[in-house]
Amino acid sequence: MNVVNVVSKFGGDACLERRWVLPPEVIEPLASHVEMTGEGWIVDEWPVTRGIAAIVQPWVDQVIDLASGAWFVGSEHADRP
Protein backbone atom coordinates (compact mmCIF):
# COMPACT_ATOMS: atom_id res chain seq x y z
CA MET A 1 0.00 0.00 0.00
CA ASN A 2 1.40 3.41 -0.96
CA VAL A 3 0.41 6.08 1.56
CA VAL A 4 1.53 9.71 1.72
CA ASN A 5 1.16 12.40 4.37
CA VAL A 6 -0.51 15.55 3.09
CA VAL A 7 -1.55 19.08 3.98
CA SER A 8 -5.07 19.86 2.73
CA LYS A 9 -6.73 23.24 2.31
CA PHE A 10 -10.52 23.41 2.17
CA GLY A 11 -12.64 26.28 0.85
CA GLY A 12 -15.56 28.04 2.48
CA ASP A 13 -17.90 25.45 0.97
CA ALA A 14 -15.90 22.67 2.70
CA CYS A 15 -14.64 21.37 -0.66
CA LEU A 16 -10.98 20.50 -1.09
CA GLU A 17 -9.12 23.36 -2.78
CA ARG A 18 -5.60 21.99 -2.82
CA ARG A 19 -3.38 19.29 -1.35
CA TRP A 20 0.40 19.15 -0.83
CA VAL A 21 2.32 15.89 -0.34
CA LEU A 22 4.78 16.06 2.53
CA PRO A 23 8.27 14.52 2.41
CA PRO A 24 9.31 11.72 4.80
CA GLU A 25 11.46 14.07 6.87
CA VAL A 26 8.35 15.63 8.47
CA ILE A 27 7.27 12.34 10.08
CA GLU A 28 9.44 12.63 13.19
CA PRO A 29 8.66 16.31 13.94
CA LEU A 30 4.91 15.77 13.34
CA ALA A 31 4.75 12.77 15.67
CA SER A 32 4.59 15.01 18.74
CA HIS A 33 1.57 16.89 17.31
CA VAL A 34 -0.61 14.15 15.77
CA GLU A 35 -1.27 10.44 16.23
CA MET A 36 0.83 8.38 13.83
CA THR A 37 1.17 4.71 12.98
CA GLY A 38 4.46 2.88 13.37
CA GLU A 39 4.92 3.24 9.60
CA GLY A 40 4.71 7.04 9.83
CA TRP A 41 1.17 7.57 8.55
CA ILE A 42 -1.05 10.17 10.20
CA VAL A 43 -4.12 8.63 11.87
CA ASP A 44 -7.27 10.61 10.94
CA GLU A 45 -7.10 14.28 9.94
CA TRP A 46 -5.83 16.96 12.28
CA PRO A 47 -6.36 20.71 12.11
CA VAL A 48 -3.14 22.59 11.47
CA THR A 49 -1.97 24.29 14.66
CA ARG A 50 0.85 26.79 15.07
CA GLY A 51 3.27 23.93 15.85
CA ILE A 52 2.20 21.87 12.83
CA ALA A 53 2.32 24.92 10.54
CA ALA A 54 5.93 25.58 11.56
CA ILE A 55 6.83 22.05 10.44
CA VAL A 56 4.90 21.86 7.15
CA GLN A 57 5.00 25.48 5.88
CA PRO A 58 8.28 24.96 3.95
CA TRP A 59 6.47 22.43 1.69
CA VAL A 60 3.31 24.51 1.17
CA ASP A 61 3.49 27.33 -1.39
CA GLN A 62 0.70 29.35 0.27
CA VAL A 63 0.74 31.04 3.66
CA ILE A 64 -1.12 28.83 6.13
CA ASP A 65 -3.87 30.94 7.73
CA LEU A 66 -4.55 29.27 11.07
CA ALA A 67 -7.57 31.48 11.81
CA SER A 68 -9.38 30.23 8.69
CA GLY A 69 -9.82 26.68 10.03
CA ALA A 70 -9.33 25.48 6.45
CA TRP A 71 -6.02 23.64 6.89
CA PHE A 72 -5.56 19.98 7.91
CA VAL A 73 -2.89 17.27 7.88
CA GLY A 74 -3.57 13.61 7.26
CA SER A 75 -2.60 10.60 5.18
CA GLU A 76 -4.08 9.23 1.98
CA HIS A 77 -3.56 6.41 -0.45
CA ALA A 78 -1.46 7.47 -3.41
CA ASP A 79 -1.20 6.03 -6.87
CA ARG A 80 2.05 4.28 -7.49
CA PRO A 81 4.22 5.88 -10.17
Side-chain angles (χ1 to χ4, degrees), residues 7-77:
V7 175
S8 301
K9 179 185 179 189
F10 292 87
D13 58 0
C15 288
L16 179 66
E17 284 187 4
R18 183 129 182 237
R19 185 166 278 153
W20 293 263
V21 174
L22 296 170
E25 55 261 30
V26 303
I27 292 171
E28 187 175 329
L30 278 178
S32 64
H33 298 275
V34 301
E35 184 179 350
M36 299 190 92
T37 68
E39 294 84 13
W41 307 335
I42 300 171
V43 177
D44 297 321
E45 282 203 336
W46 298 77
V48 173
T49 62
R50 183 175 297 152
I52 293 171
I55 297 165
V56 302
Q57 183 65 76
W59 290 276
V60 175
D61 63 359
Q62 295 180 14
V63 175
I64 296 174
D65 176 10
L66 298 176
S68 72
W71 296 85
F72 293 84
V73 292
S75 293
E76 67 178 34
H77 293 275

